[in-house]
Amino acid sequence: MAGRLRAWGAALGGLMVFLAALTACAGPYQYYEGTGVHDATTTEVAGGWENVEGTRVVLRKDGTALVEKLDGQDFDFEDGWRLSGTGTWQLTDGGGGQVVRLALKSRTRVESRSSATATGASVPEPPPTYAWSFYVDRDQRDELRLFFFYGDPDIGNTYVMTRETGS
């Protein structure tokens, strides 16, 4: 009887260790389902967007885009490159809310973020094209804002773009 209880205890303990390890890397981003915003229009999203880091994105009504100094999302942010160029964008709507899909088609410039964590020869070559997915959200004043997650997904850092001053 005692041997059987020990065996069950060991099996249960092993299962608990396995489940703890399985969920240890599950940060807020991994379970993020969206903002729930479904009422933004293409006309409302079109225009200039900026970030406190000097990033500027212009989403034109015709579906084309101008990108200036936009960092990579998710783990690509850690590489420290900032891309500029032209591309396309579209507003999509899924179950969790709306997303702006931005695709850089023609890279015109690459810069490095001064606070980048990547150093020396380990810095990978920035991609010639790139795609971002910005969640569409509204602030307390019902103004749109766009954001994506960057860095380690367990931390949940957000890269926020707000309407360009004067737009």
Side-chain angles (χ1 to χ4, degrees):
M1 179 76 162
R4 183 178 279 177
L5 285 176
R6 266 193 290 265
W8 275 103
L12 184 59
L15 179 62
M16 295 300 285
V17 168
F18 172 75
L19 290 175
L22 186 63
T23 61
C25 295
Y29 168 66
Q30 293 172 331
Y31 296 116
Y32 191 74
E33 295 183 15
T35 62
V37 171
H38 296 281
D39 64 347
T41 65
T42 302
T43 303
E44 187 180 15
V45 173
W49 296 88
E50 63 187 358
N51 177 282
V52 295
E53 300 293 324
T55 299
R56 182 172 182 257
V57 174
V58 178
L59 305 174
R60 298 184 184 115
K61 290 180 183 178
D62 66 359
T64 61
L66 173 66
V67 175
E68 296 177 5
K69 301 179 185 177
L70 186 54
D71 296 284
Q73 69 181 70
D74 299 324
F75 282 113
D76 291 339
F77 183 84
E78 304 298 332
D79 293 339
W81 45 256
R82 308 184 87 202
L83 301 177
S84 297
T86 57
T88 60
W89 72 279
Q90 66 178 11
L91 178 64
T92 63
D93 196 347
Q98 291 174 298
V99 174
V100 171
R101 308 238 185 252
L102 174 62
L104 182 74
K105 302 289 187 179
S106 176
R107 184 179 82 186
T108 58
R109 189 172 65 240
V110 175
E111 297 179 36
S112 292
R113 195 173 56 254
S114 61
S115 61
T117 57
T119 59
S122 66
V123 176
E125 175 67 24
T129 62
Y130 194 78
W132 295 265
S133 293
F134 288 91
Y135 292 101
V136 177
D137 198 11
R138 294 192 180 276
D139 64 15
Q140 298 85 355
R141 297 183 319 247
D142 206 33
E143 299 288 330
L144 282 184
R145 68 184 192 125
L146 308 176
F147 71 94
F148 61 76
F149 291 98
Y150 70 90
D152 186 338
D154 290 337
I155 297 172
N157 291 323
T158 54
Y159 192 95
V160 179
M161 301 289 292
T162 56
R163 184 64 66 185
E164 191 172 52
T165 306
S167 288

